[in-house]
Amino acid sequence: EHASVGLQAGIAMPVDVVHLLAVAAWLGGLVALVVSLYRAPSDTPVEASAVRRFSRIAFGAVLTLIATGTYQAWRQVGSWSALTGTRYGQLLLLKIGLVLLLVGIAWFSRRWTGRLAHTVAGEAVPAARTEERASASLAEKTPQAVSKGAAGGRSSAGGDSRRAAQLARQQAAVDAARQKRVRDADPNRFGLRRSVLMEAGVAVVLLAVTTVLTQTEPGRTEEEAKAATTSSASSSSSSSAGAVTLDMPFDTGGQNGKGVVRLDIDPARAGGNELHLYVQRPNGRAFDIPEVKVAFTLTAKKIGPLPVAPDHITTGHWAASGVQIPMAGDWKVAVTVRTSDIDQVTVTKNAQIG
């Protein structure tokens, strides 16, 4: 959702897709590798060539993640202050730390992969095979010895199904022990399994942080919202201490009778004030009208209406100086707009003076 809105959405969407594909290739392959290294049968171990191929794919995926992630971070954060001062930026820093940790562990995995590739054709395989032959010999002897004892039992007891079940369990235990010894005979394969498992563990935490990150307001958006709030508060403060601006849409009903009147009163206090009045079409362009008048009324004190006839300055602009407002209060400002000989309307709005 973050990629579909905001800055450069047309670029962010395909970049986000590439980022997700790179994550899937790296972390998805990592899970498959962990399962293969720990669960593959001893007679069909994971080939070093397969591990090397995944290592190359993972390296390319990491480079892709760095490139696309850097762009996404710039787009969603935008500033150093947002990186450290917003929840999104702090979560992003945590994610970056986890990625660096993951890359560091992956570097060790690559080292184990290189060692595994060199030892597969050398010393590790004969050692594993010797261990396998020794384990197989033990496995053959054990059931034979047990079988002899079982034969005597059958001759004396006439067969015992529980004894047969016990023999089956013993055989399964011997097979499992043999497979584990063969699997752990190669220290390089054992080291690779350990480092890949650590990678997978960090990856789980990384995905959890990313899930929270996608549900958090981007740092850039949060910073812009704060700036807008500060600007609005500053504007309100300025208005209360200085000029007041009123925007009043009008429609006289005749041809070219629609527009907006903007009235500026400065300093909006009791006494003399400067008044500027602007008339604009709905598209924002200034235009002249035959007549415009202003009147002030303080209903609470039954003062007014106090009429003001501003002078025409330029296209769409009228002004009056020294407009006297006798006291502070909530004044009703009425503006009469005439757009033709017969089309006229009066619009009103309240303004706090003083």
Side-chain angles (χ1 to χ4, degrees):
E1 295 181 356
H2 287 167
S4 63
V5 295
L7 184 68
Q8 298 179 354
I11 299 175
M13 284 294 289
V15 168
D16 196 50
V17 171
V18 173
H19 190 80
L20 292 175
L21 290 174
V23 170
W26 184 17
L27 301 189
L30 196 63
V31 172
L33 183 59
V34 168
V35 174
S36 299
L37 288 172
Y38 275 87
R39 295 300 181 186
S42 59
D43 55 345
T44 57
V46 180
E47 295 183 3
S49 59
V51 178
R52 287 199 305 272
R53 283 195 301 271
F54 170 71
S55 181
R56 288 193 295 268
I57 293 174
F59 182 73
V62 169
L63 293 181
T64 303
L65 285 173
I66 292 173
T68 55
T70 300
Y71 169 77
Q72 289 177 325
W74 167 81
R75 181 177 177 272
Q76 301 294 355
V77 178
S79 65
W80 293 111
S81 61
L83 186 62
T84 57
T86 64
R87 175 172 169 77
Y88 185 95
Q90 293 163 0
L91 285 172
L92 182 61
L93 287 175
L94 176 59
K95 179 180 178 180
I96 291 172
L98 289 171
V99 170
L100 292 177
L101 176 61
L102 198 57
V103 170
I105 299 174
W107 179 77
F108 283 101
S109 295
R110 284 177 62 86
R111 291 187 62 187
W112 285 117
T113 300
R115 293 179 181 179
L116 181 63
H118 284 89
T119 57
V120 162
E123 300 173 354
V125 171
R129 288 176 178 171
T130 301
E131 179 67 23
E132 184 175 0
R133 286 194 296 268
S135 300
S137 175
L138 176 62
E140 291 172 358
K141 292 177 180 179
T142 302
Q144 287 174 2
V146 174
S147 297
K148 292 178 180 178
R154 281 196 301 271
S155 63
S156 61
D160 189 348
S161 58
R162 287 180 297 179
R163 183 63 173 171
Q166 183 180 4
L167 290 174
R169 288 194 297 270
Q170 289 177 348
Q171 180 65 49
V174 169
D175 291 341
R178 178 177 59 83
Q179 290 184 5
K180 187 177 185 303
R181 282 193 296 270
V182 172
R183 188 183 67 186
D184 295 342
D186 187 352
N188 295 318
R189 195 178 300 274
F190 176 77
L192 179 62
R193 283 203 311 273
R194 186 173 53 186
S195 64
V196 170
L197 183 61
M198 291 176 61
E199 278 189 76
V202 176
V204 171
V205 179
L206 177 62
L207 289 177
V209 173
T210 302
T211 301
V212 178
L213 194 64
T214 58
Q215 299 172 0
T216 304
E217 188 74 19
R220 183 188 290 270
T221 305
E222 188 174 337
E223 287 279 287
E224 290 174 353
K226 288 180 181 178
T229 302
T230 303
S231 176
S232 176
S234 176
S235 176
S236 299
S237 175
S238 175
S239 295
S240 62
V244 167
T245 299
L246 304 176
D247 287 335
M248 294 178 278
F250 65 86
D251 184 1
T252 62
Q255 186 178 6
N256 297 323
K258 291 184 179 182
V260 178
V261 171
R262 169 167 290 184
L263 190 67
D264 290 338
I265 306 170
D266 188 14
R269 294 177 180 173
N273 289 267
E274 293 286 331
L275 184 147
H276 291 269
L277 188 147
Y278 304 90
V279 179
Q280 299 175 338
R281 298 187 187 277
N283 60 9
R285 293 184 61 184
F287 73 107
D288 283 336
I289 55 177
E291 186 181 20
V292 61
K293 296 183 293 184
V294 182
F296 293 87
T297 303
L298 184 59
T299 305
K301 299 293 184 179
K302 298 182 179 180
I303 300 176
L306 306 177
V308 177
D311 298 322
H312 184 258
I313 304 300
T314 185
T315 301
H317 182 196
W318 287 258
S321 59
V323 176
Q324 293 296 319
I325 299 178
M327 66 176 61
D330 188 19
W331 289 79
K332 182 176 74 174
V333 183
V335 179
T336 300
V337 177
R338 182 168 64 84
T339 57
S340 70
D341 292 338
I342 59 173
D343 298 317
Q344 178 177 300
V345 70
T346 299
V347 291
T348 62
K349 209 166 193 179
N350 283 15
Q352 185 63 41
I353 304 297

